[in-house]
Amino acid sequence: MKQNRKGFTLAELLIVVAIIEMLAVISILIFNNQSRKARMKIGGEYIEARL
């Protein structure tokens, strides 16, 4: 008897969640790095303006 499968298996859902989690971690790391660079630049400009 042939069964009609509808939906996703647990393994497929776990893989999708893991991929989304990895992309989120990568984007958070990139954002933190860029914000740190921006703060360093602003701080350097402030120090130069005070000299």
Side-chain angles (χ1 to χ4, degrees), residues 21-35:
E21 182 177 305
M22 284 188 282
L23 292 174
V25 168
I26 291 169
S27 64
I28 289 170
L29 291 174
I30 290 171
F31 175 77
N32 285 340
N33 191 23
Q34 292 299 320
S35 63

Side-chain angles (χ1 to χ4, degrees), residues 4 6 9-10 13 15-16 18-19 21 23 26 31-32 40-42 47-51:
N4 288 335
K6 292 185 180 182
T9 64
L10 181 60
L13 292 175
I15 290 170
V16 170
I19 291 171
E21 182 177 305
L23 292 174
I26 291 169
F31 175 77
N32 285 340
M40 293 294 287
K41 183 176 180 182
I42 291 170
I47 292 171
E48 287 176 0
R50 300 293 268 173
L51 293 176

